[in-house]
Amino acid sequence: MTKVLWVLFAFLLPMVALAGGGSTAEDGGHGVVCERPSSSIPRTIDVQVEILDLYEARKLYGPAHWKNKWLISHDVDNRLLKSACHELKERKLALMKLLSIDAELQAAFDDACEIAATAKIGQHLSLTDDSGELMVKIPHACKVKQFAVYKRTDDRFSVSVDARYIRHFTELELAALLLHESLHTSFPRGSTVAIRQFVMYAMASRRFQKANLAPAQIIAGCRCEVDKRAFVSP
């Protein structure tokens, strides 16, 4: 079976306890999985997997601003998850030069790395209903799947990830997944679209970021979503 990568917003992760807050709640990290007959190998299926955050971003504003670096293509362990932290640290520093982001959002990047360091990877997660409104149409050959589930109880939270999809991720998607799950502690429950938009912006090219400072600052300030037309593709 030929396996190609995409990755759609929203998620990966461990079973880990970190500071959270609030009553019991569950939020999911969703992705898009597409299966199509292979154009190169007869009687085989191409499987494309993408986190929702970046899937929507690439469909709305073009793939050039979210280029993948390498495909993992094998089982993921904590060492590989930690390698995505380098990407997150660079993204955090770059964002702080462009936007006014508070200490809580800055900490989300660090918490994402802490999650990666203690990740437990499971599988076969049930689909949650908190993805919010999809910003793009999903093709018939594709389905929205559950990549990760964030659960918060009082002052602790945990994240569990479906291992079937992670091997199709790249460094960029791994970092995006980690950040997405970490941001659930900074954004109000039910603001999944806003989280996806923030991740989309954080993982974009510098050219895209500079062209979209205004909507990104709104999201960072109010922890709320903006109209998808507020972003432009430079």
Side-chain angles (χ1 to χ4, degrees), residues 50-126:
E50 193 166 6
I51 1 176
L52 185 56
D53 310 48
L54 301 187
Y55 179 89
E56 290 178 323
R58 291 171 179 137
K59 291 294 184 183
L60 287 170
Y61 313 111
H65 301 295
W66 295 273
K67 291 183 179 179
N68 290 309
K69 296 185 177 179
W70 43 258
L71 179 63
I72 294 173
S73 72
H74 55 77
D75 290 339
V76 174
D77 57 19
N78 287 350
R79 176 183 56 83
L80 286 170
L81 290 177
K82 288 181 192 178
S83 71
C85 288
H86 178 69
E87 180 79 22
L88 285 170
K89 290 175 182 177
E90 289 188 341
R91 296 282 175 172
K92 174 186 174 180
L93 293 174
L95 227 58
M96 290 174 65
K97 295 178 181 179
L98 292 172
L99 297 179
S100 174
I101 56 175
D102 57 34
E104 189 177 34
L105 283 181
Q106 293 178 37
F109 286 83
D110 301 325
D111 289 346
C113 288
E114 192 169 344
I115 288 173
T118 55
K120 282 185 182 179
I121 302 171
Q123 55 185 324
H124 300 293
L125 298 175
S126 299

Side-chain angles (χ1 to χ4, degrees), residues 38-215:
S38 174
S39 58
S40 57
I41 305 177
R43 296 186 297 277
T44 61
I45 299 296
D46 285 342
V47 179
Q48 299 173 320
V49 179
E50 193 166 6
I51 1 176
L52 185 56
D53 310 48
L54 301 187
Y55 179 89
E56 290 178 323
R58 291 171 179 137
K59 291 294 184 183
L60 287 170
Y61 313 111
H65 301 295
W66 295 273
K67 291 183 179 179
N68 290 309
K69 296 185 177 179
W70 43 258
L71 179 63
I72 294 173
S73 72
H74 55 77
D75 290 339
V76 174
D77 57 19
N78 287 350
R79 176 183 56 83
L80 286 170
L81 290 177
K82 288 181 192 178
S83 71
C85 288
H86 178 69
E87 180 79 22
L88 285 170
K89 290 175 182 177
E90 289 188 341
R91 296 282 175 172
K92 174 186 174 180
L93 293 174
L95 227 58
M96 290 174 65
K97 295 178 181 179
L98 292 172
L99 297 179
S100 174
I101 56 175
D102 57 34
E104 189 177 34
L105 283 181
Q106 293 178 37
F109 286 83
D110 301 325
D111 289 346
C113 288
E114 192 169 344
I115 288 173
T118 55
K120 282 185 182 179
I121 302 171
Q123 55 185 324
H124 300 293
L125 298 175
S126 299
L127 192 65
T128 63
D129 60 357
D130 68 309
S131 61
E133 181 181 358
L134 299 180
M135 292 186 284
V136 298
K137 185 177 181 180
I138 305 299
H140 292 301
C142 307
K143 294 182 179 179
V144 174
K145 296 288 187 177
Q146 196 70 42
F147 285 5
V149 172
Y150 165 99
K151 184 175 182 180
R152 181 177 62 204
T153 303
D154 296 324
D155 63 344
R156 302 179 74 81
F157 76 79
S158 62
V159 183
S160 53
V161 185
D162 196 315
R164 294 173 296 175
Y165 306 118
I166 300 175
R167 66 178 59 197
H168 304 297
F169 293 163
T170 64
E171 179 185 25
L172 186 69
E173 278 81 27
L174 272 175
L177 283 172
L178 291 165
L179 179 59
H180 179 105
E181 295 305 313
S182 179
L183 286 170
H184 278 295
T185 62
S186 303
F187 282 69
R189 176 164 168 75
S191 57
T192 306
V193 175
I195 292 176
R196 296 204 305 267
Q197 288 181 326
F198 186 83
V199 172
M200 173 195 77
Y201 181 83
M203 309 310 292
S205 68
R206 180 58 64 90
R207 185 182 175 197
F208 183 92
Q209 289 178 339
K210 288 183 176 179
N212 292 282
L213 290 172

